C-alpha cells in the first residue's frame, strides 16, 4: 500500500522539532538498480571492443569506391599509385557483356577492372587504348601512364600486341563511350564506328555491341548493397552538414524556443502550430524538387560533365519519390490535425504558463541541457565514425570462380589462365551482428542520456514545488546541480533500466516492421479481412505499447527524482497516481504534450530544411563530395535535431509533468486542497479555472 508522499517529499520534522525545507528530497536514499548499472557499464565496454574491431577492419573508402582486379580500393592512399585514381573501369567489354547474360556463370565481379582518373572516351579518328598498370618490361611510372591517357600500346612487343587483339591484354581497345556513375565507368551501348572499324582492320576479335553491356554495369551499380553503401558514404561526406544542421542549429533554435516560452507564453502555441505547418510543407516541396516532380533539379547518378542526352536513373531517385509521397500523406494529416486542435490551444497556453513560471524561478534549467547535449555530441562523433568503419569492414578476398579466361601477365611475361577471378569484400555473419549491436548501443545511449537529463530536471522542479515556490536558504543554491548529484550518486542504475526497456521495445518493433516489409514484398500478407484486421491491429497495438512505456518511463523518472525509489517501485507509484487522476491529468496535459511535440518537430524540420539547402550547394553536387542523394543526410539531421530538441524541450515537458503529478498528489493527501502549490502556480491555474478541474475532476 502506497503511503502518503507528502511525508516523504514534503516538509518533515527535524530532531529539534522544527520543519526542514527541501532536505527531505535527499532523505533516506540509497543506490538503486545497481545490477542494471553494471550491465550498462559492461555494455559500454563491449561497445568499445566492437568499435575497435570496426576501426581495425574497416575502410570507409570502400563505401564509395570499387576494387580493381588486384583487390585494391580505388583512391586508397595506401595502395601504390592509386591515391588519385578513384574511378573503376572494366577493361574487357566482352567480359562485361557475358556478365549480363542470364544463362552465363560469369560475374561482373570477376571482369578485369582497374582504377583510372577519368572515364576514357573513344577517339574520333583512330583507335584509343587503355592499358593495364605499367609493370615488368613497361618502364613507365604511374604518373607517366596517366599522362599518356593510360596508353602504352606502341611499347608492346608483337606477342603483347597479339594478345591485346585477343582481348587478353595488357592493352584493351576503347570502343564504347562511358560516363562516371557513382565512381564507376558505365558503358553506353553506342559503340564508336570509327574505333570499331580500326579494331576490325587490325584483326581484333569480335566485340559484342548489345545493350546488355550497358545494363550489366548499371545493375551492379544499382544493387541494394551498393545503394546502402552509398547512403552511408553520403552521411560521411556530409559531416559538415551534420555538425551545422544536426548539432549547432537545433541547439540555437531550442534555446530560442525556451526563451520565447518564458516571455511570450500566450503566443507560442499559435506560433508553433503555424510554423509547423509551414515547415512541413516546405520540406515536402524539397522532396518533390529532388525527385524531379517540380522543376529540373532532380538528383543524377552521373558525376561531372556528360552528354546531356545521356539519362541514367538509380534506386536513389525511386527512394526520393517514395519519400515525397510519404511526406505528402504526413503533411495532409498534420495540417488537418493542427486545424482540429485549434480550439484546444487555449488549454495548452494555461499549461505552458506553469512551466514558464517554473523556468522563470529556476533559470538554470534553460542552461542545464547544454551538459547532456555536449556529452551526446562527443558520443555521436565516436559512434558515427565507428559506424562507418563497421559498415565498411569485411575481408577483401579473391572470388572462387572456375572460369576459362586468360590474361597477359606483365610480370611473368606470358598469358596466365590461373588468376582470372576478381576480388570482393566478404562479409561474415558476425559483422552483421556487430552492426546491429552498434545500432542498438547508439539508441540505448541516446535514451540513457535523455533519461538522465529528464530526471535531473524533474528533481529540480520537485524541489521548487514542495518548497511552495519560495526561495529559501534551506534549498540548495542551485537545485539543478543538487538534483544531478543525487542522480549520479543513487539513481543511474534506475535510469539505465528505464532506457533499456524503451530501447528493447523499440528494437522489437523495428524487427517486426522489417519482417512485415519482407512479407509485403514477398506477397505473403493476409488476403482475408480477418487476417488484415489482425495484421493492422497488431501494428497499432505495438505502437500503443511503445507510447505507453515511454510515457510511463517519463513519469517513473519523476518519482525516482522525488522519492529515490528503484525504477519498478517508482513506476508503480507513478502509475497508481496517474490511474487515480487519469481524467484530471489527461484533460490538462494532453494538449500541452501535443504542442511540445509540434515544437520538437518544428526544430527538427528546420534542421531538415537547412540540410536540404546546404546539400544543394556546388560542394555536394560535383567532384569528390558529390552525394548520391540528400535523403539519408537529411534524415540524420532530422533525427539529430529531434534528439537535441528533446533534451531542451524536456525542461518544459518535465516541468509540466512534475508539477501536475506533485499537484495531484498534494491534493489527494490534503482532501482536495493543495498545500504545497506555490502561489505562482495557483495564480496560473486560477486564471484558466484549472484549479477546479484538477481538484474536482469531471462531473
Amino acid at each position: 500500500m502506497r503511503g502518503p508522499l507528502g511525508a516523504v517529499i514534503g516538509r518533515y520534522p527535524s530532531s529539534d522539532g522544527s520543519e526542514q525545507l527541501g532536505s527531505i528530497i535527499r532523505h533516506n536514499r540509497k543506490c538503486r538498480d545497481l545490477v542494471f548499472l553494471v550491465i550498462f557499464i559492461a555494455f559500454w565496454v563491449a561497445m568499445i571492443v566492437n568499435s575497435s574491431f570496426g576501426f581495425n577492419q574497416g575502410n570507409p573508402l570502400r563505401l564509395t569506391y570499387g576494387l580493381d582486379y588486384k583487390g585494391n580500393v580505388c583512391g586508397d592512399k595506401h595502395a601504390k599509385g592509386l591515391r588519385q585514381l578513384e574511378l573503376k573501369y572494366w577493361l574487357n567489354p566482352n567480359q562485361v557483356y557475358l556478365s549480363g547474360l542470364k544463362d552465363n556463370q560469369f560475374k561482373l565481379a570477376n571482369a578485369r577492372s582497374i582504377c583510372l582518373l577519368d572515364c576514357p572516351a573513344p577517339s574520333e579518328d583512330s583507335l584509343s587504348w587503355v592499358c593495364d598498370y605499367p609493370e615488368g618490361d613497361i618502364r613507365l611510372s604511374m604518373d607517366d601512364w596517366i599522362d599518356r591517357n593510360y596508353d602504352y600500346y606502341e611499347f608492346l612487343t608483337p606477342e603483347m600486341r597479339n594478345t591485346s587483339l585477343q582481348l587478353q591484354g595488357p592493352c584493351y581497345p576503347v570502343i564504347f563511350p562511358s560516363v562516371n556513375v557513382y565512381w564507376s565507368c558505365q558503358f553506353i551501348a553506342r559503340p564508336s564506328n570509327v574505333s570499331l572499324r580500326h579494331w576490325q582492320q587490325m584483326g581484333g576479335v569480335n566485340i559484342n555491341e548489345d545493350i546488355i553491356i550497358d545494363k550489366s554495369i548499371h545493375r551492379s551499380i544499382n544493387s541494394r548493397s551498393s545503394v546502402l553503401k552509398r547512403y552511408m558514404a553520403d552521411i560521411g561526406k556530409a559531416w559538415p552538414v551534420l555538425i551545422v544542421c544536426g548539432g549547432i542549429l537545433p541547439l540555437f533554435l531550442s534555446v530560442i524556443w525556451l526563451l520565447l516560452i518564458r516571455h511570450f507564453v500566450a503566443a507560442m502555441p499559435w506560433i508553433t502550430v503555424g510554423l509547423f505547418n509551414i515547415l512541413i510543407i516546405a520540406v515536402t516541396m524539397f522532396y518533390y524538387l529532388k525527385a524531379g516532380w517540380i522543376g529540373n533539379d532532380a538528383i543524377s547518378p552521373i558525376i561531372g560533365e556528360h552528354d546531356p542526352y545521356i539519362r541514367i536513373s538509380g534506386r536513389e531517385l525511386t527512394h526520393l519519390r517514395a519519400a515525397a509521397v510519404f511526406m505528402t500523406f504526413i503533411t495532409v494529416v498534420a495540417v488537418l490535425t493542427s486545424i482540429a486542435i485549434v480550439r484546444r490551444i487555449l488549454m495548452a497556453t494555461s499549461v505552458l504558463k506553469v512551466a514558464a513560471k517554473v523556468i522563470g524561478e529556476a533559470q538554470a534549467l534553460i542552461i542545464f541541457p547544454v551538459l547532456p547535449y555536449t556529452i551526446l555530441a562527443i558520443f555521436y562523433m565516436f559512434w558515427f565514425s565507428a559506424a562507418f568503419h563497421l559498415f565498411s569492414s569485411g575481408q577483401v578476398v579473391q572470388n572462387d570462380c572456375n572460369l576459362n579466361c586468360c590474361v597477359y601477365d606483365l610480370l611473368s611475361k606470358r598469358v596466365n589462365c590461373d588468376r582470372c577471378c576478381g576480388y570482393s569484400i566478404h562479409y561474415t555473419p558476425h559483422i552483421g551482428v556487430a552492426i546491429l549491436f552498434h545500432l542498438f548501443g547508439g539508441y540505448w545511449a541516446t535514451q540513457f542520456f535523455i533519461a538522465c537529463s529528464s530526471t535531473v530536471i524533474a528533481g529540480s522542479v520537485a524541489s521548487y514545488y514542495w518548497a511552495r515556490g519560495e526561495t529559501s536558504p534551506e534549498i540548495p543554491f542551485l537545485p539543478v546541480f543538487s538534483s544531478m548529484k543525487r542522480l549520479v550518486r543513487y539513481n543511474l542504475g534506475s535510469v539505465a533500466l528505464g532506457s533499456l526497456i524503451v530501447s528493447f521495445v523499440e528494437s522489437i518493433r523495428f524487427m517486426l516492421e522489417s519482417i512485415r516489409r519482407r512479407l509485403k514484398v514477398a506477397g505473403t500478407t493476409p488476403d482475408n479481412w480477418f487476417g488484415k484486421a489482425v495484421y493492422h491491429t497488431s501494428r497499432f497495438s505495438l505502437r500503443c505499447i511503445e507510447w505507453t512505456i515511454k510515457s510511463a518511463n517519463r513519469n517513473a523518472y519523476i518519482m525516482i527524482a522525488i522519492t529515490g525509489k528503484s525504477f519498478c517501485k517508482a513506476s508503480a507509484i507513478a502509475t497508481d497516481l496517474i490511474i487515480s487522476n487519469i481524467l484530471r491529468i489527461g484533460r490538462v496535459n494532453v494538449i500541452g504534450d501535443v504542442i511540445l511535440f509540434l515544437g520538437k518537430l518544428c526544430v527538427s524540420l528546420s534542421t531538415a530544411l537547412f540540410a536540404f539547402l546546404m546539400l544543394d550547394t556546388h560542394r555536394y553536387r560535383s567532384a569528390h563530395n558529390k552525394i548520391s542523394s540528400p535523403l539519408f543526410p537529411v534524415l540524420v539531421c532530422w533525427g539529430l535535431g529531434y534528439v537535441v530538441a528533446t533534451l531542451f524541450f524536456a525542461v518544459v515537458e518535465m516541468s509540466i509533468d512534475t508539477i501536475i503529478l506533485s499537484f495531484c498528489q498534494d491534493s489527494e493527501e490534503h482532501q482536495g486542497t493543495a498545500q504545497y502549490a506555490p502561489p505562482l502556480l495557483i495564480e496560473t491555474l486560477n486564471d484558466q479555472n484549472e484549479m477546479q478541474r484538477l481538484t474536482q475532476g469531471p462531473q
Side-chain angles (χ1 to χ4, degrees), residues 494-562:
S494 301
V495 172
L497 174 57
S499 56
L500 175 62
I501 293 174
V502 173
S503 303
F504 185 71
V505 172
E506 186 69 15
S507 299
I508 292 178
R509 191 186 68 81
F510 175 79
M511 289 187 290
L512 293 178
E513 188 68 16
S514 299
I515 295 174
R516 183 192 68 82
R517 290 198 187 99
R518 290 179 181 272
L519 292 176
K520 188 175 182 180
V521 171
T524 56
T525 52
D527 295 328
N528 57 72
W529 67 269
F530 180 77
K532 288 183 177 180
V534 173
Y535 178 74
H536 292 291
T537 302
S538 62
R539 290 184 62 197
F540 177 75
S541 300
L542 199 58
R543 280 282 187 182
C544 291
I545 292 173
E546 177 193 356
W547 179 85
T548 303
I549 288 178
K550 286 185 177 181
S551 178
N553 273 16
R554 193 171 67 189
N555 291 297
Y557 297 146
I558 294 172
M559 303 315 295
I560 288 171
I562 296 175

Side-chain angles (χ1 to χ4, degrees), residues 311-481:
R311 297 186 179 274
I312 300 174
S313 61
R315 285 180 182 267
E316 287 85 351
L317 185 62
T318 304
H319 294 165
L320 267 179
R321 289 177 174 174
V325 172
F326 178 74
M327 283 300 299
T328 302
F329 172 76
I330 295 296
T331 300
V332 172
V333 173
V335 171
L336 294 178
T337 303
S338 62
I339 294 174
I341 66 171
V342 166
R343 292 186 177 182
R344 301 284 183 174
I345 288 181
L346 290 177
M347 185 186 299
T349 302
S350 65
V351 175
L352 292 176
K353 282 183 178 180
V354 176
K357 292 186 181 294
V358 174
I359 294 172
E361 294 296 319
Q363 297 185 9
L365 287 174
I366 298 179
I367 304 173
F368 164 73
V370 173
L371 178 61
Y373 166 85
T374 304
I375 296 174
L376 265 181
I378 296 172
F379 167 75
Y380 280 145
M381 286 189 285
F382 162 79
W383 188 86
F384 274 110
S385 179
F388 296 140
H389 284 81
L390 281 172
F391 270 92
S392 61
S393 60
Q395 188 176 3
V396 178
V397 296
Q398 190 169 20
N399 299 328
D400 183 15
C401 60
N402 298 316
L403 301 174
N404 184 20
C405 64
C406 302
V407 294
Y408 190 90
D409 190 341
L410 288 171
L411 294 177
S412 62
K413 301 179 183 179
R414 65 182 180 86
V415 175
N416 189 336
C417 298
D418 298 330
R419 299 183 59 187
C420 291
C421 300
Y423 284 81
S424 299
I425 301 175
H426 179 63
Y427 294 94
T428 56
H430 80 273
I431 295 177
V433 174
I435 292 174
L436 292 177
F437 183 84
H438 191 72
L439 294 174
F440 179 81
Y443 190 78
W444 187 9
T446 300
Q447 292 298 323
F448 176 81
F449 289 121
I450 291 176
C452 287
S453 178
S454 300
T455 305
V456 171
I457 294 170
S460 305
V461 176
S463 298
Y464 168 82
Y465 180 91
W466 293 100
R468 292 190 170 96
E470 300 171 1
T471 302
S472 171
E474 298 289 343
I475 293 181
F477 176 72
L478 289 176
V480 172
F481 290 102

Side-chain angles (χ1 to χ4, degrees), residues 137-392:
D137 290 340
I138 306 300
R139 308 297 182 182
L140 288 175
S141 66
M142 290 292 286
D143 290 336
D144 292 336
W145 175 65
I146 295 172
D147 292 338
R148 295 179 61 86
N149 290 325
Y150 327 108
D151 183 358
Y152 52 75
Y153 183 80
E154 61 182 278
F155 301 141
L156 299 184
T157 64
E159 180 187 6
M160 293 180 185
R161 293 192 178 192
N162 182 56
T163 56
S164 295
L165 292 174
Q166 301 300 314
L167 290 180
Q168 294 178 346
C171 292
Y172 298 81
V174 181
I175 304 296
F176 297 93
S178 58
V179 293
N180 180 357
V181 178
Y182 297 135
W183 309 103
S184 294
C185 294
Q186 178 173 326
F187 290 148
I188 305 300
R190 295 203 301 259
S192 168
N193 293 328
V194 174
S195 299
L196 198 57
R197 185 171 65 252
H198 279 85
W199 171 256
Q200 293 169 348
Q201 290 173 354
M202 295 174 67
V205 298
N206 180 58
I207 292 180
N208 296 292
E209 307 174 28
D210 197 278
I211 196 173
I212 291 177
I213 198 172
D214 183 332
K215 293 182 177 180
S216 177
I217 296 178
H218 183 69
R219 186 164 56 247
S220 173
I221 295 174
N222 213 31
S223 65
R224 290 184 177 179
S225 60
S226 297
V227 173
L228 179 59
K229 289 180 181 179
R230 287 198 295 272
Y231 280 149
M232 288 300 300
D234 289 342
I235 298 173
K237 293 175 184 178
W239 65 265
V241 179
L242 301 187
I243 291 176
V244 174
C245 298
I248 298 175
L249 182 62
L251 168 65
F252 176 77
L253 293 176
S254 298
V255 172
I256 292 296
W257 198 90
L258 287 180
L259 292 175
L260 290 175
I261 276 288
R262 171 70 183 93
H263 297 286
F264 304 100
V265 64
M268 280 308 295
W270 301 96
I271 294 174
T272 301
V273 173
L275 188 61
F276 167 73
N277 288 321
I278 294 172
L279 287 171
I280 196 169
I281 292 172
V283 171
T284 303
M285 290 300 101
F286 262 100
Y287 275 109
Y288 272 81
L289 284 170
K290 292 304 174 183
W293 287 342
I294 297 178
N296 298 309
D297 197 27
I299 61 172
S300 171
I302 302 177
I303 301 174
E305 297 182 358
H306 61 280
D307 189 337
Y309 293 101
I310 297 176
R311 297 186 179 274
I312 300 174
S313 61
R315 285 180 182 267
E316 287 85 351
L317 185 62
T318 304
H319 294 165
L320 267 179
R321 289 177 174 174
V325 172
F326 178 74
M327 283 300 299
T328 302
F329 172 76
I330 295 296
T331 300
V332 172
V333 173
V335 171
L336 294 178
T337 303
S338 62
I339 294 174
I341 66 171
V342 166
R343 292 186 177 182
R344 301 284 183 174
I345 288 181
L346 290 177
M347 185 186 299
T349 302
S350 65
V351 175
L352 292 176
K353 282 183 178 180
V354 176
K357 292 186 181 294
V358 174
I359 294 172
E361 294 296 319
Q363 297 185 9
L365 287 174
I366 298 179
I367 304 173
F368 164 73
V370 173
L371 178 61
Y373 166 85
T374 304
I375 296 174
L376 265 181
I378 296 172
F379 167 75
Y380 280 145
M381 286 189 285
F382 162 79
W383 188 86
F384 274 110
S385 179
F388 296 140
H389 284 81
L390 281 172
F391 270 92
S392 61

